Amino acid sequence: LYTMPEIRQVQADLQDYSAELDKELMKVYLEYRGKDSTFQTDFNKWSPTIQKLKKEELDETQQKLQRTQQALEQDLMEKQQILIQPLLTKIDSAIKVVAKNQSLNYVFDLSKNALLFADESGDITKQVKTILGIDPNAKPEDTMMMGDIPMGQ
């Protein structure tokens, strides 16, 4: 993935998007800093009631800052997935072409212990179910789950 030429454009797009998000976060941060500065400067001038209200206001702004930061981080991760998905699809298609051309039944990524491609003709699930006396067309929702099995009785 990271050696594909298209990744440079993805990285550039993500940097641009991240810069936009940083601007949004900075607005909320500056709002918080302004309120915090005022709070620190004017605290002793206020009555106890005003102090309490201003403290609550400052706390709410701090929470808003944290929520904004979390939301923007989530937005950035989602944008990354959106931008990378076409590259992953392209890789998957290339793997399938090579596997078919070389008559491979399975392709593994050994660095991740992951199965990247499996020719469905190699699926022996129905035969195994038949030997076990299970309806070969039964779906998992048609059967009992492990949590449904009474234990130790």
Side-chain angles (χ1 to χ4, degrees):
L1 174 67
Y2 295 104
T3 58
M4 295 177 73
E6 298 97 323
I7 201 69
R8 286 191 176 96
Q9 186 59 50
V10 167
Q11 290 171 330
D13 291 348
L14 279 174
Q15 285 177 338
D16 291 345
Y17 191 69
S18 181
E20 289 176 36
L21 298 179
D22 285 346
K23 288 178 189 175
E24 290 302 314
L25 184 60
M26 185 56 72
K27 289 177 189 176
V28 180
Y29 175 74
L30 291 174
E31 176 187 355
Y32 171 75
R33 290 292 304 175
K35 288 182 181 182
D36 183 54
S37 178
T38 300
F39 183 81
Q40 299 299 328
T41 304
D42 296 343
F43 184 81
N44 290 327
K45 299 176 189 174
W46 297 326
S47 70
T49 302
I50 298 296
Q51 288 175 347
K52 182 181 176 195
L53 291 172
K54 293 292 185 177
K55 174 69 171 129
E56 289 171 0
E57 182 180 326
L58 182 62
D59 290 346
E60 287 173 16
T61 306
Q62 184 178 26
Q63 291 171 5
K64 177 183 174 183
L65 177 61
Q66 291 170 345
R67 285 190 311 270
T68 301
Q69 183 176 10
Q70 290 170 351
L72 296 179
E73 286 173 2
Q74 182 68 32
D75 283 355
L76 185 60
M77 287 190 310
E78 289 172 6
K79 182 71 166 182
Q80 180 181 21
Q81 288 292 40
I82 289 168
L83 293 173
I84 287 179
Q85 188 57 50
L87 302 181
L88 296 175
T89 301
K90 187 175 181 180
I91 291 169
D92 186 55
S93 296
I95 290 169
K96 288 178 181 174
V97 166
V98 170
K100 293 286 184 189
N101 289 343
Q102 295 188 15
S103 301
L104 300 175
N105 290 324
Y106 304 98
V107 176
F108 292 92
D109 180 346
L110 297 178
S111 69
K112 297 179 184 173
N113 292 327
L115 177 65
L116 301 178
F117 171 80
D119 184 351
E120 291 184 19
S121 68
D123 185 357
I124 62 170
T125 303
K126 288 187 178 189
Q127 294 91 329
V128 171
K129 284 182 176 181
T130 300
I131 290 171
L132 294 172
I134 301 169
D135 177 2
N137 298 313
K139 301 201 179 346
E141 61 269 8
D142 298 336
T143 61
M144 183 182 293
M145 296 298 188
M146 286 299 292
D148 298 333
I149 300 173
M151 302 300 274
Q153 295 186 17

